Coordinates of all heavy atoms in Angstrom, one line a residue:
M275 N 64.2 43.9 4.5 CA 65.4 43.1 4.4 C 66.3 43.8 3.4 O 65.9 44.3 2.4 CB 65.0 41.8 3.9 CG 64.6 40.8 5.0 SD 64.2 39.2 4.3 CE 62.4 39.4 4.1
K276 N 67.6 43.6 3.7 CA 68.7 44.0 2.8 C 69.4 42.8 2.4 O 69.6 41.8 3.1 CB 69.6 45.0 3.6 CG 69.0 46.3 3.9 CD 70.0 47.2 4.4 CE 69.3 48.5 4.9 NZ 69.5 49.6 4.0
F277 N 69.9 42.8 1.1 CA 70.6 41.7 0.5 C 72.0 42.2 0.2 O 72.2 43.2 -0.5 CB 69.9 41.2 -0.7 CG 68.5 40.7 -0.5 CD1 67.4 41.5 -0.8 CD2 68.3 39.5 0.1 CE1 66.2 41.0 -0.5 CE2 67.1 39.0 0.3 CZ 66.0 39.8 0.0
M278 N 73.0 41.6 0.8 CA 74.4 42.0 0.6 C 75.2 40.9 -0.2 O 75.0 39.7 0.0 CB 75.1 42.2 1.9 CG 74.3 43.1 2.8 SD 74.1 44.8 2.2 CE 75.5 45.5 2.7
K279 N 76.1 41.3 -1.0 CA 76.9 40.3 -1.8 C 78.4 40.8 -1.8 O 78.7 42.0 -1.4 CB 76.5 40.2 -3.2 CG 76.7 41.4 -4.1 CD 76.2 41.2 -5.5 CE 76.4 42.4 -6.3 NZ 77.6 42.4 -7.1
K280 N 79.3 39.9 -2.1 CA 80.7 40.3 -2.2 C 80.9 41.2 -3.4 O 80.2 41.0 -4.4 CB 81.6 39.0 -2.3 CG 81.7 38.2 -1.1 CD 82.6 37.0 -1.4 CE 82.7 36.1 -0.2 NZ 83.6 35.0 -0.5
R281 N 81.9 42.1 -3.3 CA 82.2 42.9 -4.4 C 82.6 42.1 -5.6 O 83.4 41.1 -5.5 CB 83.3 43.9 -4.0 CG 83.6 45.0 -5.0 CD 84.5 45.9 -4.4 NE 83.9 46.5 -3.2 CZ 84.4 47.2 -2.3 NH1 85.7 47.6 -2.4 NH2 83.8 47.7 -1.2
N282 N 82.2 42.4 -6.8 CA 82.5 41.8 -8.1 C 81.9 40.4 -8.2 O 82.3 39.7 -9.1 CB 84.0 41.8 -8.3 CG 84.5 43.2 -8.4 OD1 83.9 44.1 -8.9 ND2 85.8 43.4 -7.9
Y283 N 81.1 40.0 -7.3 CA 80.4 38.7 -7.4 C 79.1 38.8 -8.2 O 78.3 39.7 -8.0 CB 80.1 38.1 -6.0 CG 79.3 36.9 -6.0 CD1 79.9 35.6 -6.3 CD2 77.9 36.8 -5.7 CE1 79.2 34.5 -6.4 CE2 77.2 35.6 -5.8 CZ 77.9 34.5 -6.1 OH 77.1 33.3 -6.2
E284 N 79.0 37.9 -9.2 CA 77.8 38.0 -10.1 C 76.8 36.9 -9.9 O 75.8 36.9 -10.7 CB 78.3 38.0 -11.6 CG 79.2 39.2 -11.9 CD 78.6 40.5 -11.7 OE1 77.4 40.7 -12.0 OE2 79.3 41.5 -11.3
G285 N 77.0 36.0 -9.0 CA 76.1 34.9 -8.8 C 74.8 35.3 -8.0 O 74.6 36.5 -7.7
S286 N 74.1 34.3 -7.5 CA 72.8 34.6 -6.9 C 72.9 34.7 -5.4 O 71.9 35.1 -4.7 CB 71.8 33.5 -7.2 OG 72.2 32.3 -6.7
L287 N 74.0 34.3 -4.8 CA 74.1 34.2 -3.3 C 74.1 35.6 -2.7 O 74.8 36.5 -3.2 CB 75.4 33.5 -2.9 CG 75.5 32.1 -3.3 CD1 76.8 31.5 -2.8 CD2 74.3 31.3 -2.8
R288 N 73.3 35.8 -1.6 CA 73.2 37.0 -0.9 C 73.1 36.8 0.6 O 72.3 35.8 1.0 CB 72.0 37.9 -1.3 CG 72.0 38.3 -2.8 CD 73.0 39.3 -3.2 NE 72.9 39.8 -4.6 CZ 73.4 39.2 -5.6 NH1 74.2 38.2 -5.5 NH2 73.3 39.8 -6.8
K289 N 73.7 37.6 1.4 CA 73.4 37.5 2.8 C 72.2 38.3 3.1 O 72.0 39.3 2.5 CB 74.6 38.1 3.6 CG 75.8 37.3 3.7 CD 76.9 37.9 4.5 CE 78.2 37.1 4.5 NZ 79.2 37.8 5.3
V290 N 71.3 37.8 4.0 CA 70.1 38.4 4.2 C 70.1 39.1 5.6 O 70.4 38.5 6.6 CB 68.9 37.4 4.3 CG1 67.6 38.1 4.5 CG2 68.9 36.6 3.0
W291 N 70.0 40.5 5.6 CA 70.2 41.2 6.8 C 68.8 41.9 7.1 O 68.0 42.2 6.2 CB 71.2 42.3 6.7 CG 72.6 41.8 6.6 CD1 73.3 41.3 5.6 CD2 73.5 41.7 7.8 NE1 74.6 40.9 5.9 CE2 74.7 41.2 7.3 CE3 73.4 42.1 9.1 CZ2 75.8 41.0 8.1 CZ3 74.5 41.9 9.9 CH2 75.6 41.3 9.4
S292 N 68.6 42.3 8.4 CA 67.5 43.1 8.8 C 67.7 44.5 8.2 O 68.8 44.9 7.8 CB 67.3 43.2 10.3 OG 68.5 43.7 10.9
D293 N 66.6 45.3 8.1 CA 66.7 46.6 7.5 C 67.7 47.5 8.3 O 68.4 48.3 7.6 CB 65.4 47.3 7.5 CG 64.5 46.7 6.5 OD1 65.0 46.2 5.5 OD2 63.2 46.8 6.7
D294 N 67.9 47.3 9.6 CA 68.8 48.1 10.4 C 70.2 47.5 10.4 O 71.1 48.0 11.1 CB 68.3 48.4 11.8 CG 68.1 47.1 12.5 OD1 68.3 46.0 12.0 OD2 67.5 47.2 13.6
K295 N 70.4 46.4 9.7 CA 71.7 45.7 9.6 C 72.2 45.2 11.0 O 73.4 45.1 11.2 CB 72.7 46.5 8.9 CG 72.4 46.7 7.4 CD 73.4 47.5 6.7 CE 74.7 46.7 6.4 NZ 75.7 47.4 5.7
E296 N 71.3 44.9 11.9 CA 71.6 44.5 13.2 C 71.7 42.9 13.2 O 72.5 42.3 14.0 CB 70.6 44.9 14.2 CG 70.6 46.4 14.5 CD 71.6 46.8 15.5 OE1 71.9 46.1 16.4 OE2 72.1 48.0 15.4
V297 N 70.8 42.3 12.4 CA 70.7 40.8 12.5 C 71.0 40.3 11.1 O 70.3 40.7 10.1 CB 69.3 40.4 12.9 CG1 69.1 38.9 12.9 CG2 69.0 41.0 14.3
C298 N 71.9 39.3 11.0 CA 72.0 38.5 9.7 C 71.2 37.3 9.8 O 71.5 36.4 10.7 CB 73.5 38.2 9.5 SG 73.8 37.3 8.0
F299 N 70.2 37.2 9.0 CA 69.3 36.0 9.1 C 69.9 34.8 8.5 O 69.7 33.6 8.9 CB 68.0 36.3 8.3 CG 67.2 37.3 9.1 CD1 66.9 38.6 8.5 CD2 66.6 37.0 10.2 CE1 66.2 39.5 9.1 CE2 65.8 38.0 10.9 CZ 65.6 39.2 10.3
G300 N 70.8 34.9 7.4 CA 71.4 33.8 6.8 C 71.8 34.1 5.4 O 72.1 35.3 5.0
V301 N 71.7 33.1 4.5 CA 72.1 33.3 3.1 C 71.0 32.8 2.2 O 70.3 31.8 2.6 CB 73.5 32.6 2.8 CG1 73.4 31.1 2.9 CG2 74.0 33.0 1.5
V302 N 70.8 33.4 1.1 CA 69.8 33.0 0.1 C 70.5 32.9 -1.3 O 71.4 33.7 -1.6 CB 68.6 33.9 0.0 CG1 68.9 35.3 -0.5 CG2 67.4 33.3 -0.7
G303 N 70.1 31.9 -2.1 CA 70.7 31.8 -3.4 C 70.1 30.5 -4.1 O 69.3 29.8 -3.5
T304 N 70.5 30.3 -5.3 CA 70.0 29.1 -6.0 C 70.8 27.9 -5.5 O 72.0 28.0 -5.0 CB 70.2 29.2 -7.5 OG1 71.6 29.4 -7.8 CG2 69.4 30.3 -8.1
V305 N 70.2 26.7 -5.6 CA 70.9 25.5 -5.1 C 72.1 25.3 -5.9 O 73.2 24.9 -5.3 CB 69.9 24.3 -5.3 CG1 70.6 23.0 -5.0 CG2 68.7 24.4 -4.3
G306 N 72.1 25.6 -7.2 CA 73.3 25.4 -8.0 C 74.5 26.3 -7.5 O 75.6 25.8 -7.4
D307 N 74.2 27.5 -7.1 CA 75.3 28.4 -6.6 C 75.7 28.0 -5.2 O 76.9 28.1 -4.9 CB 74.8 29.9 -6.6 CG 74.8 30.5 -8.0 OD1 75.4 29.9 -8.9 OD2 74.2 31.6 -8.1
L308 N 74.8 27.5 -4.4 CA 75.2 27.0 -3.1 C 76.1 25.8 -3.2 O 77.0 25.7 -2.4 CB 73.9 26.7 -2.3 CG 73.1 27.9 -1.8 CD1 71.7 27.5 -1.4 CD2 73.8 28.7 -0.7
L309 N 75.8 24.9 -4.1 CA 76.6 23.7 -4.4 C 78.0 24.2 -4.9 O 79.1 23.7 -4.5 CB 76.0 22.8 -5.3 CG 74.8 22.0 -4.8 CD1 74.0 21.3 -5.9 CD2 75.2 21.0 -3.8
Q310 N 78.0 25.1 -5.9 CA 79.2 25.5 -6.5 C 80.2 26.2 -5.5 O 81.4 26.0 -5.5 CB 78.9 26.5 -7.6 CG 80.1 26.9 -8.4 CD 79.8 27.8 -9.6 OE1 78.6 28.3 -9.6 NE2 80.6 28.0 -10.5
E311 N 79.6 27.0 -4.6 CA 80.5 27.7 -3.5 C 80.8 26.8 -2.4 O 81.6 27.2 -1.5 CB 79.7 28.9 -3.1 CG 79.6 30.0 -4.1 CD 80.9 30.6 -4.6 OE1 81.8 30.8 -3.7 OE2 81.0 30.8 -5.8
G312 N 80.3 25.5 -2.3 CA 80.6 24.6 -1.3 C 79.8 24.8 0.0 O 80.2 24.3 1.1
I313 N 78.8 25.6 0.0 CA 77.9 25.8 1.1 C 77.1 24.6 1.4 O 76.9 24.2 2.5 CB 77.1 27.1 1.0 CG1 78.0 28.3 0.9 CG2 76.1 27.3 2.1 CD1 77.3 29.6 0.5
L314 N 76.6 24.0 0.3 CA 75.9 22.7 0.3 C 76.8 21.7 -0.3 O 77.5 21.9 -1.3 CB 74.6 22.8 -0.4 CG 73.5 23.6 0.1 CD1 72.3 23.6 -0.9 CD2 73.0 23.1 1.5
E315 N 76.8 20.5 0.3 CA 77.6 19.4 -0.3 C 76.7 18.5 -1.2 O 77.2 18.0 -2.2 CB 78.1 18.5 0.8 CG 79.2 19.2 1.6 CD 79.8 18.3 2.6 OE1 79.5 17.1 2.6 OE2 80.5 18.8 3.5
Y316 N 75.4 18.5 -0.9 CA 74.5 17.7 -1.7 C 73.1 18.3 -1.6 O 72.7 18.8 -0.5 CB 74.4 16.2 -1.2 CG 73.3 15.4 -1.8 CD1 73.4 14.9 -3.1 CD2 72.1 15.2 -1.2 CE1 72.4 14.2 -3.7 CE2 71.1 14.5 -1.7 CZ 71.3 13.9 -3.0 OH 70.2 13.2 -3.5
A317 N 72.3 18.3 -2.6 CA 70.9 18.7 -2.5 C 70.1 17.9 -3.5 O 70.5 17.7 -4.7 CB 70.8 20.2 -2.9
D318 N 68.9 17.5 -3.1 CA 68.0 16.7 -4.0 C 67.0 17.7 -4.6 O 65.8 17.3 -4.7 CB 67.3 15.7 -3.1 CG 66.7 14.6 -4.0 OD1 67.1 14.5 -5.2 OD2 65.8 13.9 -3.5
Y319 N 67.4 18.9 -5.0 CA 66.6 19.8 -5.6 C 67.3 20.2 -7.0 O 68.5 20.1 -7.1 CB 66.4 21.1 -4.8 CG 65.6 20.9 -3.6 CD1 66.1 20.6 -2.4 CD2 64.2 21.2 -3.6 CE1 65.4 20.4 -1.2 CE2 63.4 21.0 -2.5 CZ 64.0 20.6 -1.3 OH 63.2 20.4 -0.2
S320 N 66.5 20.8 -7.9 CA 67.1 21.2 -9.1 C 68.0 22.5 -8.9 O 67.8 23.2 -7.9 CB 66.0 21.6 -10.2 OG 65.4 22.8 -9.8
P321 N 69.0 22.7 -9.7 CA 70.0 23.8 -9.5 C 69.3 25.2 -9.6 O 69.8 26.1 -9.0 CB 71.0 23.6 -10.6 CG 70.9 22.2 -11.0 CD 69.5 21.8 -10.8
E322 N 68.1 25.3 -10.2 CA 67.4 26.5 -10.4 C 66.6 26.9 -9.1 O 66.1 28.0 -9.0 CB 66.5 26.5 -11.6 CG 67.3 26.4 -12.9 CD 67.6 24.9 -13.2 OE1 66.9 24.0 -12.8 OE2 68.6 24.7 -13.9
T323 N 66.3 25.9 -8.2 CA 65.5 26.1 -7.0 C 66.3 27.1 -6.1 O 67.5 27.0 -5.9 CB 65.2 24.8 -6.3 OG1 64.6 23.9 -7.2 CG2 64.4 25.0 -5.1
W324 N 65.5 28.0 -5.5 CA 66.1 29.0 -4.5 C 66.1 28.4 -3.1 O 65.1 27.7 -2.8 CB 65.4 30.3 -4.6 CG 65.7 31.1 -5.8 CD1 65.2 31.0 -7.0 CD2 66.6 32.2 -5.8 NE1 65.8 31.9 -7.9 CE2 66.6 32.6 -7.1 CE3 67.4 32.8 -4.9 CZ2 67.4 33.7 -7.5 CZ3 68.2 33.9 -5.3 CH2 68.2 34.3 -6.6
A325 N 67.1 28.7 -2.3 CA 67.1 28.1 -1.0 C 67.6 29.2 0.0 O 68.4 30.1 -0.3 CB 68.1 27.0 -0.9
F326 N 67.0 29.2 1.2 CA 67.4 30.1 2.3 C 68.0 29.2 3.4 O 67.4 28.2 3.8 CB 66.2 30.8 2.9 CG 66.6 31.5 4.2 CD1 67.4 32.6 4.2 CD2 66.1 31.0 5.4 CE1 67.7 33.2 5.5 CE2 66.5 31.5 6.6 CZ 67.2 32.7 6.6
L327 N 69.2 29.5 3.8 CA 69.9 28.8 4.9 C 70.1 29.8 6.0 O 70.8 30.8 5.8 CB 71.2 28.2 4.4 CG 71.1 27.2 3.2 CD1 72.5 26.8 2.7 CD2 70.3 26.0 3.6
P328 N 69.6 29.4 7.2 CA 69.7 30.4 8.3 C 71.1 30.4 8.9 O 71.9 29.5 8.8 CB 68.8 29.8 9.4 CG 68.6 28.4 9.1 CD 68.8 28.3 7.6
A329 N 71.5 31.6 9.4 CA 72.8 31.8 10.1 C 72.7 31.0 11.4 O 71.7 30.8 12.0 CB 73.1 33.2 10.3
P330 N 73.9 30.6 12.0 CA 73.9 30.0 13.3 C 73.3 30.9 14.3 O 73.6 32.1 14.3 CB 75.4 29.7 13.5 CG 76.0 29.7 12.2 CD 75.2 30.7 11.4
G331 N 72.5 30.3 15.2 CA 71.9 31.1 16.2 C 70.6 31.8 15.9 O 69.9 32.3 16.7
V332 N 70.2 31.8 14.6 CA 69.0 32.4 14.2 C 67.9 31.3 14.2 O 68.1 30.2 13.6 CB 69.1 32.9 12.7 CG1 67.8 33.4 12.2 CG2 70.1 34.1 12.7
I333 N 66.8 31.6 14.8 CA 65.8 30.6 15.0 C 64.8 30.6 13.7 O 63.8 31.1 13.8 CB 65.0 30.8 16.3 CG1 65.9 30.8 17.5 CG2 63.9 29.8 16.4 CD1 65.2 31.2 18.8
Q334 N 65.3 30.0 12.7 CA 64.6 29.9 11.4 C 64.9 28.5 10.8 O 66.0 27.9 11.2 CB 64.9 31.0 10.4 CG 64.6 32.3 10.8 CD 63.1 32.5 11.0 OE1 62.3 32.0 10.2 NE2 62.7 33.4 11.9
K335 N 64.1 28.0 10.0 CA 64.3 26.8 9.3 C 64.8 27.0 7.9 O 64.5 28.0 7.3 CB 63.0 26.0 9.2 CG 62.5 25.5 10.5 CD 61.2 24.7 10.3 CE 60.7 24.3 11.7 NZ 59.4 23.5 11.5
P336 N 65.6 26.1 7.3 CA 66.0 26.2 5.9 C 64.7 26.2 5.1 O 63.7 25.5 5.5 CB 66.8 25.0 5.6 CG 67.3 24.6 7.0 CD 66.3 25.0 8.0
W337 N 64.6 26.9 4.0 CA 63.4 27.0 3.2 C 63.8 27.0 1.7 O 64.7 27.6 1.3 CB 62.7 28.3 3.6 CG 61.2 28.2 3.4 CD1 60.5 28.7 2.3 CD2 60.2 27.6 4.2 NE1 59.2 28.5 2.5 CE2 59.0 27.8 3.6 CE3 60.3 26.9 5.4 CZ2 57.8 27.3 4.2 CZ3 59.1 26.4 6.0 CH2 57.9 26.7 5.4
F338 N 63.0 26.3 0.9 CA 63.2 26.3 -0.5 C 62.0 26.8 -1.2 O 60.8 26.7 -0.7 CB 63.4 24.8 -0.9 CG 64.7 24.2 -0.4 CD1 64.7 23.6 0.9 CD2 65.9 24.3 -1.1 CE1 65.9 23.1 1.4 CE2 67.0 23.8 -0.6 CZ 67.0 23.2 0.7
G339 N 62.2 27.4 -2.4 CA 61.1 27.9 -3.2 C 61.5 28.1 -4.7 O 62.7 28.0 -5.0
A340 N 60.5 28.4 -5.5 CA 60.8 28.6 -6.9 C 61.4 29.9 -7.2 O 62.1 30.1 -8.2 CB 59.5 28.4 -7.7
T341 N 61.2 30.9 -6.3 CA 61.8 32.2 -6.5 C 62.5 32.6 -5.1 O 62.3 32.0 -4.1 CB 60.7 33.3 -6.8 OG1 59.8 33.3 -5.7 CG2 60.0 32.9 -8.0
R342 N 63.3 33.7 -5.2 CA 63.9 34.2 -4.0 C 62.9 34.6 -3.0 O 63.0 34.3 -1.8 CB 64.8 35.3 -4.3 CG 65.5 35.9 -3.0 CD 66.6 36.8 -3.3 NE 66.2 38.1 -3.8 CZ 67.0 39.1 -4.1 NH1 68.3 39.0 -4.0 NH2 66.5 40.2 -4.6
K343 N 61.8 35.2 -3.4 CA 60.8 35.7 -2.5 C 60.1 34.5 -1.8 O 59.8 34.5 -0.6 CB 59.7 36.5 -3.3 CG 58.6 37.0 -2.4 CD 57.6 37.8 -3.3 CE 56.5 38.4 -2.4 NZ 55.6 39.2 -3.1
A344 N 59.9 33.4 -2.6 CA 59.3 32.2 -2.0 C 60.2 31.5 -1.0 O 59.7 31.0 0.0 CB 58.9 31.2 -3.1
A345 N 61.5 31.6 -1.2 CA 62.5 31.0 -0.3 C 62.5 31.8 1.0 O 62.9 31.2 2.0 CB 63.8 30.9 -0.9
L346 N 62.2 33.1 1.0 CA 62.2 33.9 2.1 C 60.9 34.1 2.8 O 60.8 34.9 3.8 CB 62.8 35.3 1.7 CG 64.3 35.3 1.3 CD1 64.6 36.6 0.7 CD2 65.2 34.8 2.3
E347 N 59.8 33.5 2.4 CA 58.5 33.7 2.9 C 58.4 33.3 4.4 O 57.5 33.7 5.1 CB 57.5 33.1 2.1 CG 57.4 31.6 2.2 CD 56.4 31.0 1.2 OE1 55.8 31.7 0.4 OE2 56.1 29.8 1.4
N348 N 59.3 32.5 4.9 CA 59.2 32.0 6.3 C 59.9 33.0 7.2 O 59.7 32.9 8.5 CB 59.9 30.6 6.4 CG 59.5 29.9 7.6 OD1 58.4 30.0 8.1 ND2 60.4 29.1 8.2
L349 N 60.6 34.0 6.7 CA 61.2 35.0 7.6 C 60.2 36.0 8.1 O 59.2 36.2 7.5 CB 62.3 35.8 6.9 CG 63.5 35.0 6.5 CD1 64.5 35.9 5.7 CD2 64.2 34.6 7.8
P350 N 60.4 36.5 9.3 CA 59.4 37.5 9.9 C 59.4 38.8 9.0 O 60.4 39.2 8.4 CB 60.0 37.9 11.3 CG 61.4 37.4 11.2 CD 61.5 36.3 10.2
K351 N 58.2 39.3 8.9 CA 58.0 40.5 8.1 C 58.5 41.7 8.8 O 58.3 41.9 10.0 CB 56.6 40.8 7.7 CG 56.0 39.6 7.0 CD 56.6 39.2 5.7 CE 55.9 38.1 5.0 NZ 56.8 37.1 4.5
M352 N 59.3 42.6 8.2 CA 59.8 43.8 8.8 C 59.2 45.0 8.3 O 58.9 45.2 7.2 CB 61.3 43.9 8.6 CG 62.0 42.6 9.0 SD 63.1 42.9 10.3 CE 63.6 41.3 10.6

């Protein structure tokens, strides 16, 4: 997996791409950053919890975890 971010962005949000950059799986970041950027409107999780939100058309479920790795554990291994 590759993690891409906007230039000069210092937060936790990253787009999650396949190694060959053919498929964008979605976005991963802390709940606090997802709320701050307006990606989430409400979350019943602490701001430090990591979340993965799938891209439209990707057959994956949203996933939460204590670390980025835990939030991505539901994705297929490449």
Side-chain angles (χ1 to χ4, degrees):
M275 275 181 267
K276 292 187 184 257
F277 301 100
M278 309 298 276
K279 67 178 180 98
K280 289 182 182 180
R281 189 171 300 171
N282 298 324
Y283 175 73
E284 299 300 325
S286 68
L287 298 180
R288 302 289 187 270
K289 288 183 183 176
V290 183
W291 287 85
S292 61
D293 286 334
D294 57 6
K295 292 179 76 177
E296 293 274 329
V297 178
C298 180
F299 291 112
V301 66
V302 67
T304 62
V305 170
D307 283 345
L308 290 164
L309 289 167
Q310 185 177 15
E311 293 294 321
I313 297 171
L314 291 177
E315 292 181 12
Y316 171 80
D318 197 18
Y319 289 91
S320 72
E322 297 83 27
T323 301
W324 284 79
F326 167 74
L327 302 175
V332 174
I333 304 173
Q334 295 295 327
K335 293 180 180 179
W337 207 259
F338 295 86
T341 63
R342 179 167 72 177
K343 183 177 180 179
L346 296 172
E347 72 183 14
N348 200 33
L349 287 178
K351 305 298 181 229
M352 305 240 176

